[in-house]
Amino acid sequence: MSLNHVRPWRDIYRRKSRQIMVGNVPVGGDAPIAVQTMTNTLTTDVAATVAQVQAAAEAGADIVRVSVPDEASSKALKEIVRESPVPIVADIHFHYRRGIEAAEAGAACLRINPGNIGDEARVKEVIKAARDHNCSIRIGVNAGSLEKHLLEKYGEPCPEAMVESGLEHIRILQDNDFHEFKISVKASDVFLSAAAYQGIAEATDAPIHLGITEAGGLVSGTIKSAIGLGNLLWMGIGDTIRVSLSADPVEEVKVGFEILKSLGLRHRGVNIISCPSCARQGFDVIKTVESLEHRLEHIKTPMSLSIIGCVVNGPGEALMTDVGFTGGGAGSGMVYLAGKASHKMSNEQMIDHIVEQVEKKAAELEAAAESAE
Ligand code: SF4
């Protein structure tokens, strides 16, 4: 639950879910909402895949998924798992053997739909492998690949069909006394996704993996995901998220974090509050923010920074941020620390100076957190 009773209009009541483990990352219950992404390299190219996993982890990914389409990928998976700083989810479709191999290779979770991998004996083998290797399972219902009997029953992919599909897969795991699972009901349409997720959230207490599938490119996919996932998260639904973009996995992680940060559900790095700029700006706000976003990427401590073009909104925004800069006149502006006007700084030296101030504040916050432990 993310609660802020001082400002009750910010409260989000998280749906109560069971907690499972994906490697060493708890998912569900009161665990922080985990951010995931997926590699898009060839899994058999171990070096490229590991580099992508590491970059995603550096950007904040808690969990990374890797496709395992063939036996060679299963072999590569073992090395990838060994090198990865975060738990790896193996993405399996239909091939029960791949599921077993991935569990043996050390995957922390299998993304596999038990109803789609063949007869009961095969399902049992995969579940046994998962159990033997401490591997959880994600049931991944997708509107684009619903079972034939459900499409016949409902006529087209609809929320009820997706929920029913999810519950059928859940039943198979439960019948085999396997409970370490989470579930997703993804669609590329935000309305369909949102309705399906609300349905599954009511029908089970399993942790929920949120995603809008095939969301699109960086800008359109970000907007679609922010609307779809943002709406669900705001309702308290979702224990782990993956933003799907036709873009670098690092971008998916950044967008995922921004969605969670906007809702106050996770905090990481510098939250920059900046104005859109206009003729009143005392310095080039857009270029400055671009540069600061890049130069402050290494800061992981949650903190806030306001970069505001002029005094219309600058002092007010600075009141609520750890560090602030407000454009003034004559080539300089005011630096604010902890909400108070502190000193003037020239526009030329401002970027370096703000970076220094933010680094100093981050070090202070880290030291305070360490001494509190
Ligand atoms: S804060 Fe000032 S510079 Fe920025 S948009 Fe508003 S009026 Fe323009």
Side-chain angles (χ1 to χ4, degrees):
M1 203 182 309
S2 163
L3 284 183
N4 184 341
H5 292 299
V6 181
R7 300 185 181 92
W9 33 272
R10 280 191 174 166
D11 290 353
I12 290 179
Y13 293 88
R14 267 180 79 184
R15 159 185 170 267
K16 285 192 170 44
S17 58
R18 276 186 294 115
Q19 190 170 90
I20 66 160
M21 296 301 289
V22 175
N24 59 1
V25 175
V27 174
D30 57 0
I33 296 169
V35 175
Q36 308 200 20
T37 185
M38 186 168 178
T39 54
N40 55 23
T41 47
L42 275 178
T43 304
T44 45
D45 186 342
V46 173
T49 306
V50 167
Q52 216 172 48
V53 171
Q54 280 168 340
E58 187 56 31
D62 301 294
I63 297 166
V64 176
R65 180 157 48 116
V66 172
S67 251
V68 186
D70 47 33
E71 204 181 336
S73 300
S74 298
K75 290 210 172 85
L77 187 70
K78 200 169 183 173
E79 286 177 66
I80 294 163
V81 166
R82 200 169 42 223
E83 300 287 322
S84 172
V86 292
I88 295 291
V89 179
D91 194 82
I92 315 284
H93 284 275
F94 308 115
H95 297 286
Y96 86 108
R97 267 262 126 234
R98 299 290 91 77
I100 296 167
E101 288 162 6
E104 288 170 353
C109 180
L110 303 178
R111 187 275 189 199
I112 193 165
N113 288 347
N116 299 350
I117 51 174
D119 62 23
E120 222 187 300
R122 288 183 170 186
V123 173
K124 280 191 187 311
E125 268 192 76
V126 172
I127 294 174
K128 183 179 182 308
R131 186 178 281 121
D132 288 351
H133 294 90
N134 274 333
C135 192
S136 51
I137 288 180
R138 166 159 70 96
I139 294 168
V141 174
N142 197 312
S145 55
L146 276 175
E147 291 77 11
K148 213 166 144 228
H149 72 278
L150 290 172
L151 285 176
E152 276 164 13
K153 178 174 171 186
Y154 289 97
E156 62 170 8
C158 61
E160 294 77 13
M162 292 171 72
V163 171
E164 194 167 326
S165 170
L167 294 178
E168 282 177 7
H169 294 298
I170 285 179
R171 207 164 304 124
I172 296 171
L173 295 182
Q174 286 176 334
D175 287 350
N176 283 279
D177 201 21
F178 189 92
H179 307 282
E180 283 288 294
F181 63 85
K182 56 193 170 112
I183 184 159
S184 62
V185 283
K186 296 188 184 183
S188 57
D189 176 87
V190 287
F191 295 102
L192 180 53
S193 276
Y197 271 113
Q198 286 175 74
I200 204 75
E202 276 175 26
T204 172
D205 67 350
I208 286 182
H209 167 116
L210 285 188
I212 304 290
T213 194
E214 290 119 27
L218 184 56
V219 174
S220 58
T222 296
I223 292 168
K224 230 183 197 183
S225 299
I227 292 172
L229 306 191
N231 173 38
L232 288 160
L233 289 164
W234 203 328
M235 282 188 239
I237 297 171
D239 301 290
T240 176
I241 66 168
R242 189 247 171 143
V243 171
S244 300
L245 300 175
S246 306
D248 191 306
V250 164
E251 300 297 335
E252 295 189 348
V253 177
K254 285 187 189 167
V255 173
F257 258 100
E258 288 304 324
I259 293 172
L260 294 176
K261 275 157 78 174
S262 302
L263 291 168
L265 288 165
R266 290 260 326 244
H267 303 279
R268 181 183 201 270
V270 184
N271 186 19
I272 301 183
I273 289 140
S274 59
C275 76
S277 81
C278 74
R280 287 203 181 87
Q281 66 181 355
F283 63 99
D284 190 331
V285 175
I286 295 177
K287 272 203 183 131
T288 302
V289 169
E290 258 174 32
S291 167
L292 284 170
E293 274 181 344
H294 176 65
R295 297 228 1 222
L296 295 173
E297 262 178 357
H298 64 293
I299 306 281
K300 297 189 173 72
T301 309
M303 58 182 291
S304 53
L305 167 67
S306 56
I307 300 293
I308 309 289
C310 79
V311 292
V312 170
N313 289 323
E317 290 296 349
L319 262 183
M320 295 178 278
T321 48
D322 294 306
V323 178
F325 184 82
T326 295
S332 69
M334 181 59 77
V335 177
Y336 292 77
L337 299 176
K340 292 196 178 71
S342 173
H343 52 275
K344 279 193 157 188
M345 179 53 54
S346 72
N347 290 350
E348 288 85 57
Q349 288 167 302
M350 181 265 271
I351 293 181
D352 286 342
H353 185 70
I354 294 289
V355 170
E356 261 172 47
Q357 294 297 326
V358 168
E359 283 174 343
K360 202 169 133 199
K361 183 73 192 172
E364 271 171 39
L365 292 169
E366 280 158 30
E370 256 173 48
S371 67
E373 270 170 17

